Amino acid sequence: MPGSHLPLMEEGMARWPFGPPNAGIALDLAGAPPSLDELRALVEERWKALPRLTQTLVAPGGARTGLAWWTGRHRWARRDGHGLGRQVDSADLTLRDAVRLWFHTPFPADRPPWSLHLLRGAAEGEFSLLFRMHHSLLDGRSLTTLLRALFDDGGPLDGAASLAVPGPRRRTVRPGPAGGGPPGLLTTGRAVPLPHRGPREPAYTVVRLRADVLRAARAAVSVGTDGGSPRPATTNEVFLATVSGVLRARLSATDSAFAAASADGGPAADARQVWLSVPVDERPDDCGEFLGNAFANVRVPAPVTLSDPAARLTACTGLLTTVTRPRRTAEKLVEGTLAAVPGATLALAGGKIFAPAYAPAACSYVHLREQSQTLAGRPLRRLTIVPMVPPADTVTFALGGCAKGHTLSVATNSGSQDAGLLAEAFLDELTLLAEGAG
C-alpha cells in the first residue's frame, strides 16, 4: 500500500548488497514495432487503475548508525497525477545492450522504479519490449499479469484486485516424495565452485532451448499420479534436474574425491546437501491479480550425487507440489519480529543466506501458457527473463517460456565468462537427459 513500510522480503531486496535490485522480462515479437504513442496509449488504458505503478521508493532518513540503522525501513510514497506513459520509451539497443547499460544503474529516486522500453529485436523482422523494475516493486507473477493485459485479448486491470494482498491463506510447497522436510532457515549445505573465468563482474547470457530436446527430456521418466495415468515430467522438473546436472559436473571437475566417488557409483566423500533456491508464488487462487511481491524463496535438494540423468529427474519430480493453507501463528510471529528490525535481521542472516553454501544456484521459471498471443497484431515469439545480480559466487538460472518455446537466461558475478560457460553446460545436460529418453 502507498505510504506503508516495506515487508521483510521487499526490504531485503531494497538493501540488496550485490548491485541495484533490478530485474525484468523481455518479450520478443514479430513484425514492425508499434509507434511509441501507440504503446503509451495502450499502457495508459490497460494499467491506469493500478496504484502500485505510481509509487516511488523512499529510503530511510537520517544517518545509518545507531538505532536508526537497526530499525530504519524503506517505504512507498504516492506520486499522484504521474502519467504512466512517461515510463515508456524507446532505445536503439538490443536486450543484451540494455542489460549492460541499465540493470546495474539505480532508478532515479523521484520516479516510480519501473520502465517499459521498446528495443531492437534479436533477429531481423522482430522487436523487443522490455519491462524493467526494482524488484521490491513487483515479482514475476505481477509482471506476467501486467504483460498479459497488454495483449490483444487483454483488458484494463482491476485496481481493487491489484491491492488484494494475500492474507492468512498462502500457497506453500509441501515436501516432495523424498520427504525429510525443508531445511532450517539458516541451514547451509555445500557450495559448488563456479568457473571463475575472466574478470569478476556481473555477467548475463541468453540461449534458446530446442523444443524437440525439451519434449524428449520431459519423456525421460514417467511420473505416477494418484489414481490417474502416468504423466511425463513437467518442464519445471526438467529444469531443476538439468541445473542439478550442471552443478554435479562442476563438482566433478573441481573435487577429486567427489569425482572418484561418483565414478565408483558410491556416495560422495562430502555428504552435505546441495540446495537449489526456487521462488514459489504464495498467492491463493482468489488473489491471482495482486501486484507486488507475494513469493517465498524455498530450497529444494539438488540430486548431485546421482550419476544417471533420468535418476536425477526422478528425484526432482514432485519437489514443488504446492498446497494452500492458513499461515501458522508461529510464522506470523517470526515474520513480524524480523520485519521490525530489518537492519539487524539482514546483518545477522546475510552472511548465511547469501553464502554459496546456502544455495549455490537459484532457479526461476516464468511461463505465459496462452496460445497465439499478439500485441497490436504482432505475434509473441519468445519470453526472456533478466534476473537480479545474484549473490557472490552463485548463479541464477531463469527459464522463460511461451507457446512458441523457451529461453534460458543465466546470470553470475563470479567471472565475465561464467554465464556463457554455465549456459553451454545446461544445454549439454539437457541433451544428455533427452538422449536417455530414447
Side-chain angles (χ1 to χ4, degrees), residues 338-372:
L338 296 179
V341 284
T345 298
L346 293 168
L348 293 173
K352 281 260 189 178
I353 63 177
F354 296 140
Y358 191 80
C363 301
S364 181
Y365 180 32
V366 175
H367 193 188
L368 294 176
R369 291 178 172 81
E370 297 85 352
Q371 298 287 327
S372 304

Short mmCIF file of all heavy atoms in Angstrom, two decimals, residues 338-372:
data_model
loop_
_atom_site.label_atom_id
_atom_site.label_comp_id
_atom_site.label_asym_id
_atom_site.label_seq_id
_atom_site.Cartn_x
_atom_site.Cartn_y
_atom_site.Cartn_z
N LEU A 338 11.00 -10.24 12.68
CA LEU A 338 12.13 -9.97 11.80
C LEU A 338 11.93 -8.68 11.01
O LEU A 338 12.87 -7.91 10.78
CB LEU A 338 12.33 -11.14 10.83
CG LEU A 338 12.70 -12.49 11.45
CD1 LEU A 338 12.84 -13.55 10.38
CD2 LEU A 338 13.99 -12.38 12.25
N ALA A 339 10.69 -8.40 10.58
CA ALA A 339 10.41 -7.19 9.80
C ALA A 339 10.57 -5.93 10.62
O ALA A 339 10.83 -4.85 10.08
CB ALA A 339 9.01 -7.27 9.21
N ALA A 340 10.41 -6.03 11.96
CA ALA A 340 10.51 -4.85 12.82
C ALA A 340 11.93 -4.33 12.93
O ALA A 340 12.15 -3.15 13.20
CB ALA A 340 9.96 -5.17 14.21
N VAL A 341 12.90 -5.19 12.73
CA VAL A 341 14.32 -4.78 12.82
C VAL A 341 15.06 -5.29 11.59
O VAL A 341 15.92 -6.17 11.68
CB VAL A 341 14.97 -5.31 14.12
CG1 VAL A 341 14.54 -4.49 15.32
CG2 VAL A 341 14.65 -6.79 14.35
N PRO A 342 14.73 -4.75 10.41
CA PRO A 342 15.30 -5.30 9.18
C PRO A 342 16.81 -5.20 9.11
O PRO A 342 17.48 -6.09 8.59
CB PRO A 342 14.63 -4.48 8.08
CG PRO A 342 14.25 -3.20 8.76
CD PRO A 342 13.87 -3.59 10.15
N GLY A 343 17.37 -4.09 9.64
CA GLY A 343 18.82 -3.95 9.60
C GLY A 343 19.50 -5.05 10.38
O GLY A 343 20.47 -5.66 9.94
N ALA A 344 18.99 -5.32 11.58
CA ALA A 344 19.56 -6.38 12.40
C ALA A 344 19.36 -7.74 11.75
O ALA A 344 20.27 -8.57 11.71
CB ALA A 344 18.90 -6.36 13.79
N THR A 345 18.16 -7.97 11.21
CA THR A 345 17.86 -9.26 10.58
C THR A 345 18.82 -9.55 9.44
O THR A 345 19.41 -10.63 9.35
CB THR A 345 16.40 -9.27 10.07
OG1 THR A 345 15.52 -9.12 11.18
CG2 THR A 345 16.10 -10.56 9.36
N LEU A 346 18.98 -8.56 8.56
CA LEU A 346 19.83 -8.78 7.40
C LEU A 346 21.30 -8.84 7.76
O LEU A 346 22.08 -9.57 7.15
CB LEU A 346 19.57 -7.69 6.36
CG LEU A 346 18.17 -7.74 5.74
CD1 LEU A 346 17.88 -6.49 4.95
CD2 LEU A 346 18.03 -8.97 4.86
N ALA A 347 21.70 -8.06 8.77
CA ALA A 347 23.10 -8.11 9.19
C ALA A 347 23.45 -9.47 9.79
O ALA A 347 24.52 -10.03 9.52
CB ALA A 347 23.37 -7.00 10.21
N LEU A 348 22.53 -10.02 10.58
CA LEU A 348 22.80 -11.29 11.24
C LEU A 348 22.67 -12.47 10.28
O LEU A 348 23.43 -13.43 10.36
CB LEU A 348 21.85 -11.47 12.43
CG LEU A 348 22.04 -10.49 13.58
CD1 LEU A 348 20.93 -10.66 14.62
CD2 LEU A 348 23.40 -10.69 14.24
N ALA A 349 21.70 -12.39 9.37
CA ALA A 349 21.43 -13.53 8.49
C ALA A 349 22.16 -13.45 7.16
O ALA A 349 22.37 -14.47 6.50
CB ALA A 349 19.93 -13.65 8.24
N GLY A 350 22.54 -12.23 6.74
CA GLY A 350 23.09 -12.06 5.40
C GLY A 350 24.30 -12.90 5.11
O GLY A 350 24.47 -13.42 4.01
N GLY A 351 25.18 -13.05 6.11
CA GLY A 351 26.37 -13.85 5.89
C GLY A 351 26.06 -15.30 5.59
O GLY A 351 26.85 -16.00 4.95
N LYS A 352 24.89 -15.77 6.06
CA LYS A 352 24.48 -17.15 5.80
C LYS A 352 23.67 -17.27 4.52
O LYS A 352 23.96 -18.09 3.64
CB LYS A 352 23.63 -17.65 6.98
CG LYS A 352 24.43 -18.06 8.22
CD LYS A 352 24.56 -19.56 8.26
CE LYS A 352 25.17 -20.01 9.58
NZ LYS A 352 25.28 -21.48 9.67
N ILE A 353 22.60 -16.45 4.41
CA ILE A 353 21.65 -16.66 3.32
C ILE A 353 22.19 -16.24 1.97
O ILE A 353 21.65 -16.62 0.94
CB ILE A 353 20.31 -15.95 3.61
CG1 ILE A 353 20.51 -14.43 3.68
CG2 ILE A 353 19.67 -16.48 4.86
CD1 ILE A 353 19.21 -13.68 3.88
N PHE A 354 23.25 -15.43 1.95
CA PHE A 354 23.87 -15.05 0.67
C PHE A 354 25.09 -15.89 0.34
O PHE A 354 25.72 -15.69 -0.69
CB PHE A 354 24.27 -13.57 0.69
CG PHE A 354 23.10 -12.62 0.80
CD1 PHE A 354 23.19 -11.49 1.59
CD2 PHE A 354 21.92 -12.86 0.12
CE1 PHE A 354 22.12 -10.61 1.70
CE2 PHE A 354 20.85 -11.99 0.23
CZ PHE A 354 20.95 -10.87 1.01
N ALA A 355 25.45 -16.83 1.21
CA ALA A 355 26.66 -17.62 1.00
C ALA A 355 26.41 -18.72 -0.04
O ALA A 355 25.31 -19.26 -0.14
CB ALA A 355 27.11 -18.26 2.32
N PRO A 356 27.44 -19.07 -0.84
CA PRO A 356 27.28 -20.14 -1.82
C PRO A 356 26.85 -21.47 -1.20
O PRO A 356 26.17 -22.26 -1.85
CB PRO A 356 28.67 -20.26 -2.45
CG PRO A 356 29.30 -18.92 -2.24
CD PRO A 356 28.77 -18.43 -0.92
N ALA A 357 27.22 -21.71 0.04
CA ALA A 357 26.83 -22.96 0.69
C ALA A 357 25.33 -22.98 1.03
O ALA A 357 24.76 -24.04 1.25
CB ALA A 357 27.65 -23.18 1.96
N TYR A 358 24.70 -21.82 1.11
CA TYR A 358 23.27 -21.75 1.41
C TYR A 358 22.47 -22.21 0.20
O TYR A 358 21.55 -23.03 0.32
CB TYR A 358 22.89 -20.32 1.80
CG TYR A 358 21.51 -20.18 2.38
CD1 TYR A 358 21.26 -20.51 3.72
CD2 TYR A 358 20.45 -19.73 1.62
CE1 TYR A 358 20.00 -20.38 4.26
CE2 TYR A 358 19.17 -19.60 2.14
CZ TYR A 358 18.96 -19.93 3.46
OH TYR A 358 17.69 -19.80 4.00
N ALA A 359 22.81 -21.69 -0.96
CA ALA A 359 22.18 -22.11 -2.22
C ALA A 359 23.09 -21.66 -3.36
O ALA A 359 23.07 -20.49 -3.73
CB ALA A 359 20.78 -21.52 -2.37
N PRO A 360 23.90 -22.56 -3.90
CA PRO A 360 24.82 -22.15 -4.98
C PRO A 360 24.12 -21.75 -6.27
O PRO A 360 24.71 -21.09 -7.12
CB PRO A 360 25.69 -23.39 -5.19
CG PRO A 360 24.90 -24.52 -4.64
CD PRO A 360 24.08 -23.96 -3.52
N ALA A 361 22.84 -22.15 -6.43
CA ALA A 361 22.11 -21.82 -7.65
C ALA A 361 20.67 -21.49 -7.31
O ALA A 361 20.06 -22.12 -6.43
CB ALA A 361 22.15 -22.97 -8.65
N ALA A 362 20.13 -20.48 -8.00
CA ALA A 362 18.71 -20.15 -7.92
C ALA A 362 18.07 -20.51 -9.26
O ALA A 362 18.69 -20.36 -10.31
CB ALA A 362 18.52 -18.67 -7.61
N CYS A 363 16.82 -20.99 -9.22
CA CYS A 363 16.12 -21.44 -10.42
C CYS A 363 14.74 -20.79 -10.47
O CYS A 363 13.91 -21.04 -9.59
CB CYS A 363 15.95 -22.96 -10.41
SG CYS A 363 17.50 -23.88 -10.35
N SER A 364 14.52 -19.97 -11.47
CA SER A 364 13.25 -19.26 -11.61
C SER A 364 12.63 -19.56 -12.96
O SER A 364 13.31 -19.53 -13.98
CB SER A 364 13.49 -17.75 -11.45
OG SER A 364 12.27 -17.04 -11.55
N TYR A 365 11.32 -19.85 -12.97
CA TYR A 365 10.62 -20.20 -14.20
C TYR A 365 9.39 -19.32 -14.34
O TYR A 365 8.53 -19.28 -13.44
CB TYR A 365 10.22 -21.68 -14.15
CG TYR A 365 9.48 -22.20 -15.37
CD1 TYR A 365 9.72 -21.69 -16.64
CD2 TYR A 365 8.55 -23.23 -15.25
CE1 TYR A 365 9.06 -22.19 -17.76
CE2 TYR A 365 7.88 -23.73 -16.36
CZ TYR A 365 8.13 -23.21 -17.61
OH TYR A 365 7.47 -23.68 -18.71
N VAL A 366 9.29 -18.60 -15.44
CA VAL A 366 8.12 -17.76 -15.75
C VAL A 366 7.59 -18.19 -17.10
O VAL A 366 8.34 -18.30 -18.07
CB VAL A 366 8.50 -16.26 -15.78
CG1 VAL A 366 7.30 -15.42 -16.21
CG2 VAL A 366 8.99 -15.81 -14.40
N HIS A 367 6.26 -18.42 -17.18
CA HIS A 367 5.68 -19.00 -18.38
C HIS A 367 4.37 -18.31 -18.72
O HIS A 367 3.51 -18.17 -17.85
CB HIS A 367 5.43 -20.50 -18.15
CG HIS A 367 5.13 -21.27 -19.40
ND1 HIS A 367 4.72 -22.57 -19.38
CD2 HIS A 367 5.17 -20.92 -20.71
CE1 HIS A 367 4.53 -23.01 -20.62
NE2 HIS A 367 4.79 -22.01 -21.44
N LEU A 368 4.20 -17.88 -19.96
CA LEU A 368 2.91 -17.45 -20.50
C LEU A 368 2.37 -18.60 -21.34
O LEU A 368 2.88 -18.88 -22.42
CB LEU A 368 3.08 -16.19 -21.36
CG LEU A 368 3.52 -14.92 -20.63
CD1 LEU A 368 3.74 -13.79 -21.62
CD2 LEU A 368 2.48 -14.51 -19.58
N ARG A 369 1.36 -19.27 -20.85
CA ARG A 369 0.92 -20.52 -21.46
C ARG A 369 -0.10 -20.31 -22.59
O ARG A 369 -0.36 -21.22 -23.36
CB ARG A 369 0.29 -21.43 -20.40
CG ARG A 369 1.31 -21.96 -19.40
CD ARG A 369 0.67 -22.81 -18.32
NE ARG A 369 1.66 -23.47 -17.50
CZ ARG A 369 2.30 -22.88 -16.50
NH1 ARG A 369 2.04 -21.62 -16.21
NH2 ARG A 369 3.19 -23.54 -15.78
N GLU A 370 -0.70 -19.14 -22.67
CA GLU A 370 -1.74 -18.91 -23.66
C GLU A 370 -1.20 -19.06 -25.09
O GLU A 370 -0.07 -18.69 -25.37
CB GLU A 370 -2.37 -17.53 -23.49
CG GLU A 370 -3.07 -17.32 -22.17
CD GLU A 370 -2.15 -16.89 -21.04
OE1 GLU A 370 -0.91 -16.89 -21.23
OE2 GLU A 370 -2.66 -16.56 -19.96
N GLN A 371 -2.04 -19.57 -25.98
CA GLN A 371 -1.65 -19.77 -27.37
C GLN A 371 -1.88 -18.49 -28.19
O GLN A 371 -2.76 -17.70 -27.89
CB GLN A 371 -2.49 -20.90 -27.99
CG GLN A 371 -2.29 -22.26 -27.32
CD GLN A 371 -0.95 -22.88 -27.65
OE1 GLN A 371 -0.42 -22.70 -28.74
NE2 GLN A 371 -0.40 -23.65 -26.70
N SER A 372 -1.05 -18.30 -29.21
CA SER A 372 -1.26 -17.25 -30.22
C SER A 372 -1.43 -15.86 -29.63
O SER A 372 -2.33 -15.11 -30.00
CB SER A 372 -2.49 -17.60 -31.08
OG SER A 372 -2.35 -18.87 -31.68
#
